[in-house]
Amino acid sequence: MAKDNRDKKGMRRIHYVPDYVVFDLETTGVSVYKDDIIEISAVKVQNGSVIDTFSTLVNPLRPIPKEATMVNGITDEMVADAPVLQEVLREFLAFIGNSVLVGHNIQSFDMNFIYDASMKLYNIPIENDFIDTLHMARKCLPKLSHHKLVDIAEYFGISSEGAHRALNDCIMNQLCYEELGKLQADIPVVICPGCGAEMVKRAGKFGEFYGCSNYPNCRQTKNIKDI
Ligand SMILES: [Zn+2]
């Protein structure tokens, strides 16, 4: 598969939705092309409340670099008897269904990892729309100097105990997402007339305007006075 060929990837949404699945991956490293998934966790939420969870270690069939183990604490021994991704990803896809997916930095990391894995293993694109809490946090908490998940949890007084294991991060992020959702409650939802994605406020040479969040695939804009 050609690099970055993810043309069926869903759209990034900007605004809080009350029904969603938060998911998180632990991996052998940060490269979508070279690294492998070693843990997948998810929590399903309806109306702001957790109704189901999914969590499994994954045997990557290769040694886990010690740098990765230092971050997430997952060792070769721990994954030795775990199922392989080929088995696990199918269960994960059944769990998420067509839910909107929520995660921290998922737009450039987790979504790409699962998209590429699903294409490679099953030739099935993952088309779910997604919400990236990293983007939400940068918009809602611009004065915070760092926007790592633990920084946001700390800001909201949410426990970050057990961070960097996938299920703990999902639970932590679910609480952060709900708080971020409250902060953006006053921001109007503007839908792009061209593609149906949400539009976001941007600063241009001649002042603020609304641009499609699907940019550069969609280049629609709206005058702020027309909102
Ligand atoms: Zn658009």
Side-chain angles (χ1 to χ4, degrees):
M1 190 178 61
K3 277 190 174 186
D4 290 328
N5 179 14
R6 303 188 184 105
D7 47 354
K8 296 262 178 67
K9 192 175 166 184
M11 284 190 288
R12 176 162 72 89
R13 301 223 200 159
I14 315 296
H15 279 85
Y16 175 87
V17 296
D19 299 343
Y20 55 93
V21 169
V22 183
F23 86 100
D24 187 54
L25 307 173
E26 299 305 328
T27 61
T28 57
V30 295
S31 167
V32 173
Y33 307 109
K34 291 187 216 143
D35 287 305
D36 292 297
I37 295 169
I38 52 175
E39 187 172 48
I40 303 184
S41 300
V43 298
K44 190 175 288 178
V45 179
Q46 226 167 51
N47 250 323
S49 303
V50 175
I51 56 161
D52 204 359
T53 65
F54 176 97
S55 190
T56 181
L57 288 166
V58 182
N59 186 341
L61 304 172
R62 61 179 267 193
I64 299 171
K66 59 178 184 304
E67 295 77 16
T69 301
M70 275 165 63
V71 173
N72 51 43
I74 300 171
T75 63
D76 292 329
E77 292 71 39
M78 288 164 71
V79 299
D81 297 323
V84 295
L85 192 60
Q86 171 93 22
E87 299 168 43
V88 164
L89 193 62
R90 206 174 280 285
E91 290 170 38
F92 175 75
L93 295 186
F95 183 85
I96 64 175
N98 57 9
S99 303
V100 172
L101 302 175
V102 173
H104 203 69
N105 195 27
I106 61 170
Q107 180 174 28
S108 53
F109 191 73
D110 308 70
M111 284 304 298
N112 293 346
F113 250 105
I114 59 166
Y115 189 101
D116 291 357
S118 181
M119 287 303 289
K120 188 173 154 209
L121 295 171
Y122 318 132
N123 203 28
I124 296 172
I126 297 178
E127 300 179 61
N128 303 52
D129 284 355
F130 55 91
I131 296 177
D132 197 321
T133 49
L134 177 60
H135 290 274
M136 267 179 115
R138 283 181 176 152
K139 277 268 179 259
C140 297
L141 305 170
K143 294 199 173 110
L144 215 62
S145 53
H146 301 287
H147 294 91
K148 292 201 298 276
L149 183 54
V150 290
D151 301 317
I152 295 153
E154 187 185 349
Y155 176 85
F156 290 122
I158 294 163
S159 165
S160 59
E161 215 184 306
H164 302 301
R165 281 300 298 271
L167 186 58
N168 295 335
D169 283 358
C170 288
I171 292 165
M172 199 193 316
N173 199 19
Q174 193 266 324
L175 297 169
C176 290
Y177 169 75
E178 289 291 329
E179 294 298 328
L180 291 166
K182 288 177 204 161
L183 291 181
Q184 63 166 209
D186 304 335
I187 304 171
V189 180
V190 181
I191 300 298
C192 172
C195 72
E198 288 176 56
M199 301 187 90
V200 286
K201 212 189 252 183
R202 294 219 173 87
K205 220 193 296 182
F206 304 105
E208 289 190 311
F209 67 97
Y210 275 88
C212 184
S213 62
N214 208 7
Y215 180 89
N217 297 323
C218 175
R219 291 167 182 269
Q220 286 271 350
T221 59
K222 261 189 181 181
N223 198 310
I224 213 132
K225 291 196 290 282
D226 299 334
I227 303 303

